[in-house]
Amino acid sequence: MFNKKRQKYFNLALCITVILLLSKRGVAQTQGYLHRTVDKISEVELAISNKTAHYKPIFGEGDEESEMVKGISKYGYLTLDPEGRSELVNYGREELVYYVLEGTGILRYNDRTIPISRDDFFYVPINTDHGFINPRKDTLNIMVMGFPIPEDRKVEPTAELQLASANDVSLQVLGQHGHGQTSRFQLLLGTRDSKRDRLAAAYQVNSLYVIEFDHGGTNIPHRHPREEEIYFVLQGSGEMVAGENQAGKPRRISVKAGDAFFFSNNTLVGFYSGTQQGEERARILAVRSRYPDKE
């Protein structure tokens, strides 16, 4: 009798511990989203990292709690020390999208070297050797995004680098698409047949974009039935809509710069800016990609 009672309390304590650990990392897999904060993520060793190049796995490869992430192989924060360099990598049949968050440096692309700087974004096609060099005295921070292309999908071989700066992409209201009038979008990169994005390059990535919000502005909650999506808060603060609560109402989570959210397909997503006049406007880097089981 004593052993059964002790086992019951042990099981209860174990359940509570698991719940607390998941809550600490912002994991809510049953609700269709994952929440991470970059400052709370530990570095891991991956192919691109070394003693002067540090990788934090936000979602996907290197993160042990990303089981619900299906069509995104990696999404992480790469930091190069002053005068550091990453390893040269080739991810085979995987397309890569990069966004320079801070600093200036050099992209090694096959046998070429190309200067890159803050707010540059670029597409690296499959089977391409690439890496990074930081010749400066400041750190270089880059968002790494990887998307495997299914074997049955035809890919046109190319060695061309597609690179642009977000500073050269105009902001536009997409109210006609249900996002509201108080958020504006920089449409950075889309599929190879895209007519609206600055770069038309990808197979799995449907859209890479930055959203800038009016003070108190909103990206009206919505769903993407056939796509996975990641939001990364670049600056500002507010409340992220991440699915629904038990009452069926939008779940609103307070966020600030450095917070990242993964949304599984058909999960309710939106944002309410909390910035005031005189503060930097809230800005979010977002990427939307094909869910692998969907056409």
Side-chain angles (χ1 to χ4, degrees):
M1 185 71 176
F2 174 76
N3 288 337
K4 288 183 178 181
K5 187 175 182 180
R6 184 169 61 180
Q7 185 65 44
K8 178 181 178 180
Y9 284 119
F10 174 80
N11 291 340
L12 178 60
L14 180 62
C15 289
I16 292 173
T17 300
V18 170
I19 292 171
L20 289 174
L21 286 172
L22 294 179
S23 298
K24 185 177 180 180
R25 282 186 58 86
V27 179
Q29 298 196 10
T30 59
Q31 300 297 331
Y33 77 95
L34 300 171
H35 176 199
R36 303 283 189 267
T37 301
V38 169
D39 290 345
K40 296 181 180 179
I41 300 174
S42 299
E43 297 175 13
V44 299
E45 293 184 8
L46 294 182
I48 199 169
S49 64
N50 55 38
K51 291 182 179 179
T52 63
H54 314 280
Y55 185 84
K56 289 187 174 184
I58 301 176
F59 304 113
E61 184 180 9
D63 174 47
E64 297 178 354
E65 297 171 349
S66 284
E67 292 89 351
M68 72 159 53
V69 180
K70 302 301 182 183
I72 301 169
S73 56
K74 59 178 64 65
Y75 186 94
Y77 196 96
L78 178 67
T79 297
L80 272 70
D81 293 338
E83 301 182 348
R85 63 171 58 206
S86 77
E87 296 299 312
L88 196 66
V89 292
N90 185 320
Y91 291 113
R93 197 177 168 83
E94 184 176 323
E95 63 182 10
L96 280 296
V97 176
Y98 293 91
Y99 189 98
V100 181
L101 298 168
E102 293 179 302
T104 59
I106 296 171
L107 166 66
R108 301 166 66 195
Y109 188 88
N110 288 327
D111 58 353
R112 300 170 57 194
T113 55
I114 300 108
I116 55 175
S117 59
R118 180 174 178 171
D119 294 322
D120 280 353
F121 59 97
F122 45 97
Y123 176 86
V124 175
I126 65 172
N127 300 316
T128 301
D129 295 336
H130 64 285
F132 300 97
I133 302 172
N134 179 16
R136 311 297 182 190
K137 298 297 184 180
D138 298 316
T139 57
L140 173 63
N141 297 319
I142 301 171
M143 192 64 79
V144 178
M145 296 166 262
F147 307 84
I149 299 177
E151 291 293 337
D152 60 353
R153 190 157 195 214
K154 184 179 179 181
V155 178
E156 297 292 338
T158 178
E160 179 185 357
L161 171 66
Q162 296 206 46
L163 181 151
S165 172
N167 297 320
D168 297 329
V169 180
S170 60
L171 288 160
Q172 56 183 297
V173 175
L174 299 181
Q176 71 274 24
H177 297 288
H179 295 287
Q181 301 295 318
T182 57
S183 57
R184 290 172 300 281
F185 292 70
Q186 290 174 299
L187 302 177
L188 307 180
L189 181 149
T191 58
R192 288 166 57 87
D193 59 355
S194 173
K195 304 300 182 184
R196 68 175 194 170
D197 297 281
R198 177 64 178 82
L199 300 180
Y203 289 87
Q204 294 302 110
V205 177
N206 287 339
S207 189
L208 174 76
Y209 53 100
V210 170
I211 317 173
E212 181 175 288
F213 295 86
D214 291 345
H215 298 300
T218 304
N219 182 17
I220 295 173
H222 57 283
R223 302 176 193 274
H224 295 287
R226 297 184 175 185
E227 296 165 297
E228 295 178 314
E229 191 164 25
I230 294 175
Y231 276 18
F232 178 75
V233 183
L234 293 170
Q235 68 181 39
S237 61
E239 290 184 324
M240 190 73 70
V241 173
E244 298 160 294
N245 59 27
Q246 292 183 344
K249 302 294 183 181
R251 179 184 291 103
R252 294 169 61 154
I253 301 172
S254 295
V255 297
K256 62 183 184 306
D259 280 337
F261 282 77
F262 165 83
F263 302 98
S264 187
N265 63 304
N266 210 37
T267 299
L268 191 67
V269 52
F271 184 76
Y272 294 88
S273 173
T275 63
Q276 307 289 326
Q277 291 292 335
E279 297 179 334
E280 289 185 320
R281 295 177 184 270
R283 287 172 59 85
I284 286 175
L285 175 67
V287 63
R288 221 171 51 240
S289 59
R290 292 170 178 249
Y291 189 76
D293 293 340
K294 302 291 182 180
E295 293 294 331

